[in-house]
Amino acid sequence: MRLVFENIDFTIVGHMQSLLESEGIRTELRNAGASGIAGEVPYTQVYPELWVLNNREENRALSIIRDYREKDAASPTVPEWKCANCGETVDGVYTECWNCGTPSPLM
Ligand SMILES: [Zn+2]
């Protein structure tokens, strides 16, 4: 068993679990009901944890989680920008023009 993810927000941990399960990785949630299980929760502040049952799937699980979080962080909020030097439209995730290397005016 390997711990691959934990978060204070149970809905995020649950979402990661379904993401991994959909990739065929078997997982287990711990501390899902942090108040409930007597004897199993020694601390008052316990985050929900996502564990991978098969240690050999740990790396794959971690990369799925990383990819998801990168996409999540990159996609919705960053607008495209137009290079002041060469006029190319540049994807918002880049801080420099891919064409001429001019820094983004948003930075
Ligand atoms: Zn440019």
Side-chain angles (χ1 to χ4, degrees):
M1 296 266 292
R2 297 282 186 180
L3 176 63
V4 294
F5 185 72
E6 63 181 330
N7 194 284
I8 193 168
D9 187 344
F10 173 74
T11 57
I12 296 175
V13 181
H15 185 73
M16 291 302 168
Q17 180 182 37
S18 50
L19 207 65
L20 296 186
E21 297 269 342
S22 75
E23 296 282 338
I25 298 175
R26 292 177 59 218
T27 60
E28 184 177 303
L29 279 178
R30 289 198 184 165
N31 309 330
S35 57
I37 314 151
E40 247 194 288
V41 184
Y43 308 109
T44 50
Q45 277 296 335
V46 190
Y47 290 179
E49 296 174 344
L50 183 60
W51 290 72
V52 168
L53 299 190
N54 187 336
N55 292 359
R56 278 176 298 184
E57 292 181 326
E58 179 189 10
N59 285 338
R60 200 155 70 88
L62 288 172
S63 82
I64 290 168
I65 290 169
R66 195 173 52 235
D67 285 354
Y68 176 82
R69 292 175 73 83
E70 277 172 8
K71 254 184 269 168
D72 200 41
S75 54
T77 48
V78 192
E80 289 180 339
W81 54 278
K82 201 176 174 72
C83 177
N85 184 50
C86 72
E88 281 293 340
T89 302
V90 183
D91 196 304
V93 299
Y94 297 108
T95 57
E96 290 178 356
C97 175
W98 57 265
N99 188 45
C100 71
T102 301
S104 164
L106 307 172
M107 297 307 288

